[in-house]
Amino acid sequence: MVKPIWKNRKIGIAAGAVLVILGVGGYTIASSASLTGTVDFSPRETIRMPITQGAALNTSATDLNGWTVVKQNQRYALKLHVKSGNLAVKDLSTGFEWTAFAKQELLDKEKVGGTLRTNLESPFIMEYFEASAIQRKIKNAKDPNALITYSQTNQGFAADYTFKDIEIGFRMEFDLTDDGVKVSIPVQSISEKNKFKLISIESLPFFGAAGVDSIAGYIFIPDGPGGLIRFPQEQDLVGKGYEQPVYGAELTTGNFPETNMSPVSMPVFGMKQGSNAFLAIIDKGEYTASIKAYRPGIISNMNSVSTKFVYREEYDRRLSLGGKSVRVFQDEMAAQDRVVDYHFLRGDQANYVGMAQTYRTYMLDTNRITNKLAPTPHVPLDLTLIGGDSDWNGNSGYTPATTFKQAQYIEEDLKKSGVEAMHITYEQWQEKGSLSPSRLFSLEGKLGGDKDLQAFVDSSHSNGYKVLFKTDVVEASTEFVNHSPKSFGIRSIEGNVMMDKDWFWFTPNVSYNLTRSIGDKLKGYGIDGIQFSDIGNLLFRDYNPSYNYQREDSAYVYQHMLDYSNRELGTNGISLGNAYALQHAKHIQNLPNDINHFYDINERVPFAPIVLHGNISYSMGAGNIRDNDQEEFLRAVEYGAVPSFMLTYESTRTLQETYSWGVYSSRYASWKDKLLKEYKDFDRLAAVYDQPITNHRQVSDGVFETQYGNGISVIVDYNSLSFRVEKGGSW
């Protein structure tokens, strides 16, 4: 995986992000007031799901095994086993059935007892706590105090669960669709009448669970570009299973990630069993959901994958200024509807490619991806030029690495050398770089003045290149930014300013207004867009009572920031590629090219590239800072990325004592030949730049084939370290 460039911080916030502070210190204290307050768009509208009205469940069609067909369409039949509480969806063309939990013959092989055993026979696992005890407790549908009422609905059935002893209740609705089954938990159905409070609900935790002796298949999880956990198990168990929050941990509870692993960027998961598979899309509630996957031997003898919906976060409440704290749950419940949409696949579509194409179709149909790439005769190079940066000690000022004139030289030299298409990202352009405390928009004098910048932009445009300026409008350090954390920073769950040592995060309204202020200046130079360093890889709440933003509110503001850059400048760029940002994203830098190796994941697959290719361009790390040069180059080719480099005109030594120290080798003169060779290689893929990926497979050991919508295939051979492009491929 490509190493990210970190500032001098012990705790990284996200992988693949160049965490630099550009533009956050550009306002004087007198003019900072304009950054707070309202924004120029309407607040996010919240529409709650209604509780579906139903009639008494008709069980007259119950078969000898206790199953009742509740709803049927041309493809599927939705069935309920009232006595056990199990549900099934039968594929009418094949007879294959997906069940909410394992059938009796599998359950009989389980050795666990107590609640662990009854969890395996429940359509949910509910966590709750007693206000005076602050201890996690579990309920499921097999609890002796569970009162269950079924009702018939137009699309299926609803199950109302009420626990008489703790007076917590909620509803799960099961709707048959043309593609499978949709499972909903309307927030208006949740009731809490006593001292007991809801923590989480794990929806259908063992849907489609496969036993240790099941037919060959795998669990799909959205880790990195995509990961598979294959079964039957071929190796000893490693780790404790997979559980990761969608879009990363919630920072306002103090859950700072201790590693640079990529967060889950797409709210999906799936499973394949032989010639049948499903993809589950978290359609509502993804902002407070986690993806869970377990191999046999961890919680059961089955392979399982599901989502856990979190209603209350756990955090440390401080009891004194001295730092003593106690672990508690938040008082406020996340009042969100929760929906998981299961899409069933069969035959040659029952694999990770079919899953990815299903999610791609969903994203396009629901306008969650709106961009479409145009055909191009040449693949664009994603070139980042580092202007320079502040010195570590802050006393020596700013060390330039690529002035505007030098940037112009580089782009003109690349044009003469045959680079026909390029997007240039220029970063660390503000006065004093990362340590800029002054006005919002103030060019670093050592890079050159207005005329030099304008000449660079004009020359780039004349050569057919686009120029984006990179900026971080999300986080800042109190060491050098004039903006007050109390006025501009988000609040933690306890109401105090959220800090990680001397770092804080801007409330989304401030980020939006910073974007507009910077963008209005960039527009005057004809700069084509903003490359956002944290939009797309970071998300959090804000407990400031002036805003009280949920994570989806923050995402809503970030979407407007991307839209502003598109509308006023022409384009934008994000990092990593979280799904919340894809609606208005034009390009993604640092799309993960590898899985996280903290979990027992067998195989890396291009799920995210299949979803994105042809609509949003992406790069997978700079060619000059790879860990494994040839392997990562070939993977970028296999996964349909564009070429990428991060360079400086001056020697890399100029950055060693600055906040951009993580670029270990960047001098343009040293990397020019390598860049030109890679560009020429990537340019062989120009014909598929705007095309969707229609298939992907492993041809043989170390050889992979990616097929595109126009019939062209790219075959990558990691054994010979080569690739070829073929019309029609080998399918």
Side-chain angles (χ1 to χ4, degrees), residues 12 151 162 171 455 467 509 533 685 701 705:
S151 56
T162 303
R171 163 180 281 210
V467 177
N509 277 20
S533 65
L685 310 180
D701 188 26
E705 182 172 3

Side-chain angles (χ1 to χ4, degrees), residues 212-248:
V212 292
D213 299 323
S214 295
I215 189 171
Y218 50 73
I219 294 170
F220 161 73
I221 51 176
D223 190 89
L228 305 182
I229 301 174
R230 290 191 175 273
F231 56 80
Q233 200 168 320
E234 298 177 356
Q235 58 194 42
D236 293 336
L237 181 66
V238 178
K240 297 180 180 180
Y242 184 92
E243 181 174 355
Q244 286 297 310
V246 176
Y247 306 146

Side-chain angles (χ1 to χ4, degrees), residues 356-477:
Q357 290 174 336
T358 296
Y359 187 53
R360 172 185 171 84
T361 299
Y362 163 85
M363 294 291 279
L364 292 171
D365 288 348
T366 59
N367 290 321
R368 287 173 168 88
I369 292 179
T370 56
N371 192 52
K372 179 68 177 75
L373 297 177
T376 179
H378 298 285
V379 169
L381 170 68
D382 182 358
L383 176 65
T384 295
L385 297 176
I386 305 173
D389 210 352
S390 311
D391 298 335
W392 281 120
N393 55 28
N395 297 323
S396 302
Y398 181 101
T399 300
T402 311
T403 66
F404 297 137
K405 285 185 177 180
Q406 290 168 343
Q408 182 177 345
Y409 167 80
I410 290 174
E411 59 90 7
E412 289 178 345
D413 189 53
L414 288 175
K415 181 67 175 182
K416 294 175 184 176
S417 302
V419 176
E420 296 297 332
M422 183 161 58
H423 292 171
I424 305 169
T425 298
Y426 192 84
E427 67 171 50
Q428 294 292 21
W429 47 269
Q430 192 175 6
E431 183 181 6
K432 295 187 179 179
S434 292
L435 302 185
S436 176
S438 57
R439 295 167 296 161
L440 179 60
F441 188 93
S442 181
L443 298 176
E444 168 56 47
K446 294 181 180 180
L447 298 176
D450 290 344
K451 291 183 179 179
D452 290 343
L453 171 57
Q454 193 65 66
F456 161 52
V457 174
D458 290 345
S459 175
S460 298
H461 287 169
S462 69
N463 287 325
Y465 302 152
K466 290 185 177 181
V467 177
L468 289 80
F469 265 37
K470 190 166 191 175
T471 181
D472 185 348
V473 293
V474 174
E475 59 178 16
S477 171

Side-chain angles (χ1 to χ4, degrees), residues 503-519:
W503 289 85
F504 70 98
W505 293 267
F506 289 118
T507 192
N509 277 20
V510 172
S511 295
Y512 176 79
N513 289 324
L514 279 168
T515 297
R516 288 202 58 185
S517 298
I518 294 171

